[in-house]
Amino acid sequence: MAQYLAAIHHPDNYDSSVEGEAMQRESPSTQMSNQLTRRDFAIRTAGFGLAGFNLAWGLAPAAALAQQASRSETSPAIADQYSLVDPELLPVLKQFPAVDLSLEMAVKFRQLPGAPPLAAPAPQPVERHIPGPPGAPEVRVWVVDPAPSEKGKPLLLHMHGGGFMMIGPGWMPQIQGIATDCHCVVVSVDYRLAPETRYPGSLEDNYAALKWVHAHAAELGIDRSRIAVGGESAGGTHAANLAIHARDRNKEDVPICFQLLIYPALDDRTGSSHPAPSAVGRFMWNASANRLAWSSLLGVPAGSSKVPVAAVPARVASVAGLPPAWIGVGALDLFVEEDMEYARRLVHAGVATELLVVRGAFHGFDLLVPDAEASQQFSASWKSALRKAFATGKAV
């Protein structure tokens, strides 16, 4: 885990600047000098990204970002934001207030060790290197197979969270748990990260992995008609984008049977040209973080007319013909409105869709407080949906 968390991914269409040089300058002693523990890292990133980004990537003039911020914070304030939080989630949330992060802190977070894999008898992750997109480096994937001797198993192609720029600290135990609980092979993609790699680099990495699992179905012991895509937060973004991309390139015959979208970021305009209501996005991931995360991925200001439509699921003209979907999100999550809207569009387009909105829950609540009743119900819901899709669904 430590090796790939520490790695700075290969640049792609990225102009070296002060921030890129800062990433290369960090020494191991400097990287750990801020006394961040792995628990701090796990809580504050919670497998989905950084809370309270304050990273000046230089992607848009400061004045423009300030103007966007003022537009997104005009809704009436709520006196006590904590009053809306599920009481069972509240004590742990209050222990970890939001923190504004500098670029140097983001670099340090990348280099902190993640949680080690679960010990046997949990299925063990196997590292593979597969051909990348044309002209790009190989793509590293992790394969977790709960039953290596079985044939015809379903497969989840998983994209990790991390705000487009990082890797969730609980990556390995998470994919081991999915493989065990849903009895499927999990292939998780170590796609290139922003801002070193801008759109469409990560999408092309994920698509290369999708083509690879289809082509190597016999070797992996899987049924290529039962391949789902999924991920949490930024990983959900990547999964939704991959489903759209695969649909639009259907001549290559890489069908997907299901998309599992766990509190996905689906609209770069949230928190910029689409102001966020005051009741949402106050914990773990806010409007400022969203603007900067999307901007780092896109290479242009989030919410602007310069954003390529194909890069953002909410901007795509049609969602017809996409795979069935499960979408889950907390009612206090910054992404709640865009996730509900995407579910509405899928339903209207005739795509079988399940939407779960959890009262009193914020972004990443299930990872922060996994033993809470709301977290357990949430996890049970998406796992049940994935198992059902594997049992009844076939990509055509």
Side-chain angles (χ1 to χ4, degrees), residues 164-202:
F164 305 132
M165 292 179 280
M166 297 183 57
I167 296 173
W171 187 12
M172 287 302 161
Q174 181 179 11
I175 61 175
Q176 289 174 284
I178 295 172
T180 299
D181 294 344
C182 299
H183 198 72
C184 63
V185 177
V186 177
V187 174
S188 193
V189 189
D190 188 13
Y191 54 83
R192 287 169 292 168
L193 300 176
E196 296 93 332
T197 298
R198 304 282 172 79
Y199 173 84
S202 52

Side-chain angles (χ1 to χ4, degrees), residues 55-243:
L55 306 179
W57 293 118
L59 298 171
L65 287 177
Q67 185 178 19
Q68 289 179 344
S70 67
R71 287 200 300 268
S72 66
E73 294 165 5
T74 55
S75 13
I78 293 176
D80 180 9
Q81 294 291 336
Y82 287 122
S83 66
L84 302 175
V85 178
D86 182 325
E88 197 173 3
L89 304 175
L90 191 55
V92 176
L93 176 64
K94 283 189 170 182
Q95 292 178 36
F96 299 93
V99 57
D100 287 334
L101 300 173
S102 67
L103 173 62
E104 290 75 18
M105 289 287 283
V107 175
K108 291 178 175 63
F109 277 150
R110 277 196 187 180
Q111 304 206 4
L112 287 170
L118 301 171
Q124 296 302 294
V126 176
E127 180 180 349
R128 299 286 298 269
H129 293 260
I130 67 173
E138 288 187 325
V139 177
R140 175 161 43 182
V141 300
W142 294 92
V143 181
V144 181
D145 188 344
S149 63
E150 291 185 18
K151 302 298 181 184
K153 299 180 293 284
L155 179 142
L156 174 68
L157 185 66
H158 172 263
M159 276 64 74
H160 65 76
F164 305 132
M165 292 179 280
M166 297 183 57
I167 296 173
W171 187 12
M172 287 302 161
Q174 181 179 11
I175 61 175
Q176 289 174 284
I178 295 172
T180 299
D181 294 344
C182 299
H183 198 72
C184 63
V185 177
V186 177
V187 174
S188 193
V189 189
D190 188 13
Y191 54 83
R192 287 169 292 168
L193 300 176
E196 296 93 332
T197 298
R198 304 282 172 79
Y199 173 84
S202 52
L203 171 62
E204 293 294 345
D205 288 349
N206 293 327
Y207 190 66
L210 177 63
K211 292 196 294 183
W212 181 79
V213 299
H214 273 269
H216 292 78
E219 174 191 345
L220 293 167
I222 65 163
D223 175 358
R224 60 162 51 102
S225 73
R226 293 193 294 158
I227 294 176
V229 298
E232 63 286 343
S233 193
T237 313
H238 288 307
N241 261 340
L242 181 58

